[in-house]
Structure formats: C-alpha cells, structure tokens
Amino acid sequence: DRMVGGYERVRLQYRRWLTVEDGFYDHSRLQVNGTVIWEQPSTPGGGTHFIDTDWVMHDEYVDDLVDEDDTVSVAWTLESDWGLEFGGWNIDDVCLVAPADLGAWYASDDFDAGDGDNGCSTAPF
C-alpha cells in the first residue's frame, strides 16, 4: 500500500514481461484496490497466447480507485490451467506518479515513463 493523498491525478506505471496462454485458459490481471483494471484478452477457441518479447511499459490512471484512506494497493495475479506453462508475470520499475502541477502536466507530452529514468516523480515502492 502507498499513500497518495492530496493528488488529483495518480498513475500507476511499471514495466512488464508477460507470457501466458490465451485468456481462454489463463487469466492474468492487474488489480488496484481490488478492482481489475487490466486483463489479457481471450479469443474464441483460445488460440492466441499473450507473449511479450521484451519489456513493455504499462501506464494506467488509478486516481478514481484511491480508497478513503488515500492509499493504493496493487496486485498482479495469475490463474493458470494445467496445460501449457509459460513464464507468467515479470514486473519491474513500479511507480505511482502524481504531478505537482496539473496545468503543466496536461499541457505537455513529456510526462512519460519511457524517458530512461523510470518516469518516477515519487520514490518507487
């Protein structure tokens, strides 16, 4: 859990390397305060596996999910069947990001986690 009180816009940023079967068989999810905000797709018949071939930046707004105690709890989950086995979740560079100046943030495209310094304006947890 991380405190994020006092900020109007909060984003969760992290890098992932995820390899799982199609969502028809496996279920990888990202949850914030118990709410699923991302899950890998499922295709009819389950023939399209979810295979990242490199680290992928993922960036989600989470300010609507901050609880009454101004905290954010993040969970990456995986439910796998007994069939094929892949690598699952690999997570790195996790940051909760909140701008000090919303006007400058909205006016700029520079607030990006892919800038080489992990994009963190707060300490990673």
Side-chain angles (χ1 to χ4, degrees), residues 5-6 20-21 23 51 54-55 58-59 63-64 91 103 107 114 117-118 122:
V20 290
E21 282 187 273
I51 309 291
D54 201 352
W55 287 102
H58 196 172
D59 185 350
D63 42 271
D64 291 342
I91 305 296
D117 66 355
N118 300 339
T122 60

Side-chain angles (χ1 to χ4, degrees), residues 38 67 75:
W38 182 88
D67 69 16

Side-chain angles (χ1 to χ4, degrees), residues 21-65:
E21 282 187 273
D22 187 287
F24 185 81
Y25 301 106
D26 292 346
H27 307 286
S28 57
R29 295 181 179 99
L30 168 59
Q31 298 178 20
V32 174
N33 287 344
T35 299
V36 175
I37 65 170
W38 182 88
E39 60 186 320
Q40 105 257 16
S42 176
T43 61
T48 305
H49 303 312
F50 196 92
I51 309 291
D52 287 338
T53 58
D54 201 352
W55 287 102
V56 175
M57 186 67 207
H58 196 172
D59 185 350
E60 294 279 347
Y61 283 104
V62 297
D63 42 271
D64 291 342
L65 300 171

Side-chain angles (χ1 to χ4, degrees), residues 62-73:
V62 297
D63 42 271
D64 291 342
L65 300 171
V66 175
D67 69 16
E68 63 275 356
D69 296 326
D70 289 330
T71 61
V72 172
S73 178

